[in-house]
Amino acid sequence: MKRTQAPFTRMRWALVFLAIVAASPAVMRSESLQLRAFRVGKGPEALAFDGANIWIANQFDNSITKLGVDEGRVLQTVPVGRRPVAIAFDGANLWVANLFSNTVTIVRPDAGTAIATVAVGRGPGGLAFDGANMWVANRESNTVTKLQASDGTVLGTFPVGVRPMGLAARDGSVWIANQNSGTVSRLRVSDGAPLGTFRVGKGPFGVALDGGSVWVTNFFGRSVTRLRASDGAVQGTFPVGDGPSGIVFAGANLWVANNGSSTVTVLRQTDGAALATIPVGRGPFGIAASLTLLSGVGIWVVDFGNDSVALIDPRQIL
């Protein structure tokens, strides 16, 4: 599988995010924020930014939708496997985890065509790119699979906790949220060796990294736990909404999708203080950030219950 060089905006966008500062917590009304919403497929659960467009995994349509960030419209729908619930971008291609097919589909974003399908463990439901490899969380196998990003070759499968969900990779480690174990596993990227298991809150779901810390959403705990990346020590647990699931680090803050509350909570990275709670559509799961020269920074959240994706402009909560 030939890889293409990603444009500047695909590889550098995270370094130039707009920093968002607020003096005290606030509840932001959607009317004042003027949220934009876009209809996509049925049961959207996850999304990823490819440097120009947002891609949404539609669980009940067995497809992914390409949404133009600058155009603000649906550009394409691509069929994948059964029940796609996770999607990630590696700088060249999109990877889609098909929960019921036990596969990962690789898609070229420019043409919107599937170029490969790779068998993994049972119930793949989470994806993370480490710079050279794609990691897949297999919910029903209690394992993660390491795939070579250049051609999809399986490089190994490694045991973790019970029902691994979200994961993230950085600085030689991959961190996995084990929902039914109440823990986070840390594996060494080079060989999958275990580097530690760390207790967090109830039902850990999503993982985000900010360089020095690991942030984990606790779906049944209405909270986010912060771990020190160097040794996994707990640095704090912070209340958010009901059913926190997806989480993304953008600029100076963490953005948390609260599935049960139908809101997004903004946490300040320095101390975990809640800066805002933003009403969105029903049942948000995945959340992602985008940056283009034309549109600037955007925070995107999939509203599972509305079959839509909402766009938050961070500048409106300064």
Side-chain angles (χ1 to χ4, degrees), residues 155-240:
L155 300 178
T157 298
F158 311 98
V160 288
V162 181
R163 193 173 173 77
M165 299 290 289
L167 66 171
R170 182 169 176 160
D171 299 329
S173 295
V174 57
W175 302 78
I176 305 101
N178 305 305
Q179 187 172 59
N180 289 357
S181 297
T183 62
V184 171
S185 297
R186 181 185 185 186
L187 304 183
R188 189 163 55 206
V189 162
S190 60
D191 58 3
L195 298 177
T197 301
F198 311 98
R199 178 69 56 181
V200 288
K202 295 180 180 179
F205 193 105
V207 183
L209 308 178
D210 68 9
S213 300
V214 181
W215 298 78
V216 184
T217 58
N218 303 306
F219 191 85
F220 302 119
R222 298 184 177 216
S223 64
V224 173
T225 296
R226 182 180 191 176
L227 305 176
R228 189 164 54 209
S230 60
D231 59 5
V234 174
Q235 294 182 300
T237 297
F238 311 98
V240 288

Side-chain angles (χ1 to χ4, degrees), residues 53-69:
N53 305 292
I54 286 285
W55 290 82
I56 300 97
N58 306 306
Q59 182 177 172
F60 299 136
D61 275 345
N62 300 329
S63 68
I64 58 174
T65 294
K66 180 181 182 179
L67 184 68
V69 171

